Amino acid sequence: MPTGIVLYLYIATGGAIGACLRYFVTTNIDSWFGKALPFGTLTVNIVGSFSLALLYGFIERHELMESPYRALLGVGLLGAFTTFSTFSIETLTLLENGLIVKALANVLLNISFCLLAGWAAIAIMKG
């Protein structure tokens, strides 16, 4: 497993691809279905959550050992494609470990505070 700058280059490469892919998917989905609801964002969140869970499954089954590709795909590509995938897998891990209250708290805190932060930023920008 590379370390230092080489590892960051793998992450940066994946991140650049993930960000471009996110833009491509959201703009196309939004042009197909309109913007009445954020279907593009919903799509990347669903696909990203599914993809990170698959990657996590391969890692747990020891089919994908320590490699730069874990950083490239998991942290870089999927991290830039959607951070909702990380939120989903963390919540599912809490549930798998029987930490139901912590999983619910994670959901409530993330949704509440992220919406609040977004509202606050909009309010600040509107002056």
Side-chain angles (χ1 to χ4, degrees), residues 53 56-57 60 88-100 103:
Y56 180 76
E60 286 295 301
S88 296
I89 201 68
E90 289 171 344
T91 303
L92 290 170
T93 300
L94 289 170
L95 287 170
E96 285 179 346
N97 290 318
L99 303 170
I100 296 168

Side-chain angles (χ1 to χ4, degrees), residues 6-80:
V6 174
L7 180 63
Y8 283 97
L9 288 173
Y10 275 94
I11 294 168
T13 301
I17 294 167
C20 291
L21 189 58
R22 177 188 181 93
Y23 181 77
F24 175 80
V25 171
T26 55
T27 54
N28 280 294
I29 295 293
D30 286 346
S31 71
W32 294 335
F33 295 102
K35 293 188 176 190
L37 284 173
F39 289 115
T41 300
L42 178 62
T43 301
V44 296
N45 286 339
I46 292 168
V47 170
S49 296
F50 181 81
S51 299
L52 187 62
L54 278 180
L55 181 65
Y56 180 76
F58 284 121
I59 292 166
E60 286 295 301
R61 290 174 17 182
H62 304 288
E63 294 176 16
L64 184 62
M65 304 307 286
E66 283 293 322
S67 74
Y69 303 111
R70 284 174 63 171
L72 178 118
L73 296 172
V75 178
L77 191 143
L78 293 173

Side-chain angles (χ1 to χ4, degrees), residues 74-117:
V75 178
L77 191 143
L78 293 173
F81 187 64
T82 173
T83 55
F84 200 82
S85 56
T86 303
F87 163 75
S88 296
I89 201 68
E90 289 171 344
T91 303
L92 290 170
T93 300
L94 289 170
L95 287 170
E96 285 179 346
N97 290 318
L99 303 170
I100 296 168
V101 172
K102 286 188 177 185
L104 290 173
N106 190 46
V107 170
L108 291 173
L109 290 171
N110 267 281
I111 291 172
S112 300
F113 284 110
C114 289
L115 289 173
L116 182 62

